[in-house]
Amino acid sequence: MKRAGKRLGLVFFPAFDWAISADHPEREERLLYTRDQIVEEGLLDLPGLVEFKPEIANEQDIQRAHICIPDVKSVCTKSHLVAAGGTITAAHKVMNREVDRAFALLRPPGHHAMRLVHGSRGFCTINNEAIIIEHLRHTYGTRMKIAVVDTDAHHADGSQDIYYNDPDVLHICLHQDGRTLYPGTGAVNELGGPGAYALTLNLPLPPQSGDSEMLYGLEQFVLPVLADFKPDIIINAAGQDNHYSDPLTNMNVTARGYARLTELLQPDIVVLEGGYSIEGALPYVNVGIILALAGLDYTTVQEPGPGPAEAPAAVKEAVRRNVGFLQEVWQRRRKIDLDEVFGPGPFYKRQRHIYYDTDEILEKQQEEIRRCEECSGYRVIISAAAKQRRAGKMVAAVIIPWHACKSCRKGAEEAFERLKREGQLELVYLQDVEKDCYNTVPSISV
Amino acid sequence: MSRIIGIDVGGTNTNAAFVQDGNLIAIASCPTNHQDLLSTTTTVLERIASNIPHPEEQSLRLHLSTTLTTNAIMEGRGEPAAVIITHGPGVNPTDLEFPFPSFPVAGAIDHRGRETEPLNAEEVRQTLQRIRRNGIRALAVVGKFSVRNPSHELEIEELVRHEFPEFNAVTLGHRLSGRLNFPRRVVTAFLNASIFRLQAEFASMVKGISGRYGIQDPIFLLKADGGTMYLPESLVRPLETVLSGPAASIMGALALGEYSESHTAITLDIGGTTTEIAVLVKGEPLGERDGAVIANYRTLVPAFFTRSVGLGGDSQIRWSDGSLQIGPEREGPPVALGGPCLTPTDAVIVLEDVPLGDVKKARVELERVGREAGLAAEELARRIIAAFCEKAVREIGLVLKYLNNIPVYTVSEVLAPRELKPEKLIGMGGPAGYFLPKIAAAMGIDYQVLPCAEAANAIGAAVSRPTVAINLRADTALGKLVVPELDLMEDIQRAMLFDVRKARRMALEKAADFAVRTGAYQEAPEIEIGDEEVFNVVRGFYTAGKIFSLKAQVRPGINRVKIPYAWVQYGKKE
């Protein structure tokens, strides 16, 4: 067989013995036909492709990205640890140059998992992309600039949440318009927190968008932004549910469309996210992505049966409008008056409700971010989660960002001491990534 | 009473062993004449027959392992053959870059065995005419996912039979292996077609032997997986006889070695040029994950896992940049035997004062290289031996690392890794007697140097038993059942009642049918279920059925061989 133009690492972990529940889309069968197609195509014999066994992520790997409530082992199954570990394996193989690119083709997915984790939402518990980003920063340099391009049909609200105030991580998300699909967020005007404004970028695509709309967004918007940002690493969170046959979405992208996207984007690390057309899409999309990553011809990859219809003119117009808006935001990003966006004052405050559809949890969150000239600012989150309609206890989390300035570090430590004595809180967490120190203490009223 | 002659026609020598009721009675050998394998076989037969008590009294069985097909493939002497492929969507067929003519035609089957594009009979006819015009008469037909639905391959075979009788052999991909991997299936079918005629000629010659010395029909041939097959069956699947020599050696090590059933052992066949490494787990050799690789052809032929290292008694030794280099090349025999450059054997001869060849010559060369290195001859010899052992240990470590890191696809397998930790080294080959104890000491494990190691392959051939495997796939959501090896495709009646027990029972039944046809049944009726996968098929939030994939097989087995003490002492040299 022809040699791959690029050395490609593959971490394939279909978790054939794990499901959320027997009939759930996230079940044993999900990557069965993909495995069959990849093996039958002989891709594991492809010269230049190496298959790697996933490592198992440890508690620290997860604590760097998440605050798990009450703790890591209560929310994670072993399958999550293998999927996260496999993603880390893929990243390592690229960083130590064993391969040029790597594809973590594994499940369960992770991009709906936010920084605070009370359970599973959108089929996700822990965020595989965030776990590798933190692992990379700890292992290969804390000033690494990383770009995540999420091409799942669902808005990556988890990754957005984790990085929306992080100036070293650019998070770009292309997805089906949130007004028509779970989780509902991801509008063009969600642009990130005060410490990293305009580094969260969302391009919602209306239902019926197909290859040409997605590729238009990529070429007109994503690629120029990446060229400006100059990331050290590009991660593609490659959900495959924009496919025209996906049962949960309303998009019209084809396997070749995904392959072309991969070819243009040239990601260093690709991580599978969603995609639930397990017979009609995944086998072909994954073969297409592998061929595109390996630098081989993918034009002969085609799903059986008639393809999708061309998008209506109104859809194309909406995509052009959104792209135009985002292009302008990106051009003007350094001139935007942040006081106008976040209001004046030393802290930016927001309140949210977060619904965990998979585990039926409703979380209420209050968040404060210190607006700081020196760094991205420490954060304090108060969270109360009601599980299956039963009111839960409150917890608090203090987050010290990477490269925190002295006064933010001091402020965060003081906040942690104060919250520890608050009394109404069940647990208080301190996440200090830079010192790699993660504390949990019960709050005791004095 | 079981009386079996095992013969291994190897690259240099041909060995024979006679085993009666589990006792090794005689061994014999002669040089291999590649131009005339039949005369080589009869020569060694005559020699061993003269050592067999009362050869006419009772019938004998012949187990034959030859390099015929292996050499034909290595030397590119197969008949010109062409492959018609139905590739469907996926990897561009031109990127498959087969080193032989392949002809893509329309027609596609998907991963669940559904036809997604029909054959075009007219296009197939025109393709066959083109192949015929090129003077090619050996043909293979292979479809992507044909193991899930062989109907396109069967249709083309039918068309050839009626309209193109001049094609003497049509190999269909799905019959050779039930495993997925389209490019390997194409390669496997091509090779099979290209050696078909050669094997047919050989089989008819060998058949002439039966009757002589009381050898009964049928004769058995060795396969790459350490099993045997009926000579007539080898006419359908001649490719399975490739690499039977190395497999026979490993079977010999199994028969002669002392190991417990719980052992993980490494076998080292240390020759002049190379060392072959294989792994026994619980008394059973590990197989290749996908299939044999021969002359860079990746096939689906079941084969033992072996790794060849350029390290042997005659490996070239160089002193460069302050360090010793051993191998991987062999430039010739040791200096002591008139060779051009220093070898590990020379170091052993000098250090241990072995009366082999010209010890003086070896010493002079050691002294010469020693001056370059600033070392006395003895010290250099010791370093060479240490370096030899270090390299062997390192290579064994790499093999284990590779095996321990083969990806697995379930959570439970990731969490409970089967870490291979060898407890014993089993050695064969000339230099093994000297080096094996040192390698084992470096690894801190037991060792055994096999008796009669030079005839281990012939002994292995004699003790091997038939193997057979079929793959059954039942998709109750589609109501289809397929056993590709048997051309079997049927509808599942009462799919609701089809469960894993039914699937196992059917797989065992079908394997038994196949075993009867291939001669495996009488010899080794212990058919068992190997790999088994069961998946729920859920559509629209309801379970629509199940997919069962099972392999039923007769695994390679051996009868242990006893060697009389006295015989070993006196009978070792022919």
Side-chain angles (χ1 to χ4, degrees), chain A residues 1-3 12-18 22-23 25 27-29 32-33 35-37 39-45 51-56 78-79 82 248 278-280 283-284 287 291 296-304, chain B residues 88-93 95-97 110-112 114 116 143-148 179-185 289-290 298 404-415 417 473 533 535-539 541-543 547:
Chain A
M1 212 190 293
K2 197 167 178 175
R3 173 162 282 280
F12 182 48
F13 181 66
F16 280 149
D17 55 352
W18 185 86
D23 298 347
R27 64 179 179 274
E28 295 90 343
E29 186 193 1
L32 172 64
Y33 312 106
R35 190 264 323 252
D36 288 355
Q37 192 78 34
V39 174
E40 177 69 354
E41 297 285 358
L43 291 177
L44 300 181
D45 283 336
E51 194 187 359
F52 297 107
K53 190 177 183 175
E55 60 203 84
I56 303 168
K78 297 289 185 206
S79 191
V82 179
L248 307 184
I278 61 176
E279 280 196 71
Y284 307 101
V287 166
L291 291 175
L296 294 176
D297 179 30
Y298 56 79
T299 56
T300 46
V301 177
Q302 194 177 4
E303 309 85 336
Chain B
V91 175
N92 188 333
D95 284 351
L96 296 174
E97 296 186 340
D110 81 351
H111 44 78
R112 280 182 78 188
R114 291 167 297 207
T116 54
K144 192 176 282 179
F145 285 114
S146 66
V147 294
R148 296 277 161 90
R179 300 194 58 156
L180 293 177
N181 195 324
F182 173 65
R184 279 185 185 247
R185 193 177 315 121
R289 177 163 92 157
D290 301 305
R298 291 164 183 262
N404 284 328
N405 283 294
I406 289 178
V408 289
Y409 296 158
T410 60
V411 179
S412 55
E413 286 171 290
V414 172
L415 296 178
R473 183 179 162 92
E533 268 184 8
F535 282 93
N536 275 334
V537 178
V538 178
R539 294 297 173 268
F541 300 101
Y542 293 99
T543 299
I547 294 175

Side-chain angles (χ1 to χ4, degrees), chain B residues 58-70:
Chain B
Q58 263 162 328
S59 68
L60 271 168
R61 226 169 60 199
L62 182 61
H63 287 186
L64 188 55
S65 156
T66 79
T67 52
L68 177 79
T69 50
T70 311

